[in-house]
Amino acid sequence: IFARILRGEIPNDTVAENDHALAFRDITPRAPTHVLVIPKGKYVSFDDFATNAPPDEITGFMRLCADVARQEGVSLEGGNGFRAIANAGPDGMQEVPHFHLHILGGRRLGALVADG
Ligand code: AMP
């Protein structure tokens, strides 16, 4: 599904973009800011990306995450902070098998994980 977003086949609410990554709003936001950042390359998970992506793609992806936090007013430059989450595999309850980082903020987010 995120590959189709990258190809422009499915509309998305784009927040920011660079050569290596795209950031768009989650369709089911769990916080006032809930943005997904995805690399333009094909990686299934955080560990696939971290292991196999070339350094310029990793840098481009990470820089876009920082740009999003700043743009959304949740970075520590003037904002109240945020959480960056990458779910991986069944125990991580990853739903979409295309690596993405959730950037959540705009409210106090509570405990790191729910029990059970
Ligand atoms: P995860 O459980 O980490 O794989 O999260 C997948 C996320 O993708 C969920 O928060 C969904 O709400 C979100 N999502 C699924 N389809 C779309 C879409 N077409 N546009 C934006 N967000 C989406």
Side-chain angles (χ1 to χ4, degrees):
I1 182 140
F2 291 172
R4 295 185 65 198
I5 285 178
L6 282 170
R7 290 196 297 267
E9 294 166 11
I10 297 178
N12 74 90
D13 191 353
T14 299
V15 168
E17 183 172 8
N18 66 21
D19 286 348
H20 299 293
L22 176 72
F24 54 98
R25 295 196 191 282
D26 196 292
I27 35 164
T28 312
R30 268 61 146 228
T33 288
H34 188 170
V35 174
L36 303 177
V37 187
I38 64 176
K40 291 188 174 176
K42 211 167 172 289
Y43 303 96
V44 295
S45 63
F46 179 92
D47 45 321
D48 181 22
F49 182 67
T51 302
N52 297 312
D56 60 331
E57 280 186 40
I58 295 177
T59 302
F61 175 84
M62 295 299 278
R63 292 281 199 272
L64 195 70
C65 294
D67 291 345
V68 167
R70 216 177 305 110
Q71 231 173 278
E72 292 288 305
V74 298
S75 78
L76 296 190
E77 297 165 27
N80 251 345
F82 61 93
R83 193 172 279 164
I85 298 173
N87 296 319
D91 279 1
M93 298 187 74
Q94 180 178 8
E95 291 165 15
V96 179
H98 182 127
F99 170 51
H100 52 281
L101 199 72
H102 298 254
I103 297 188
L104 296 145
R107 69 170 173 84
R108 198 56 74 98
L109 290 164
L112 181 58
V113 290
D115 294 329

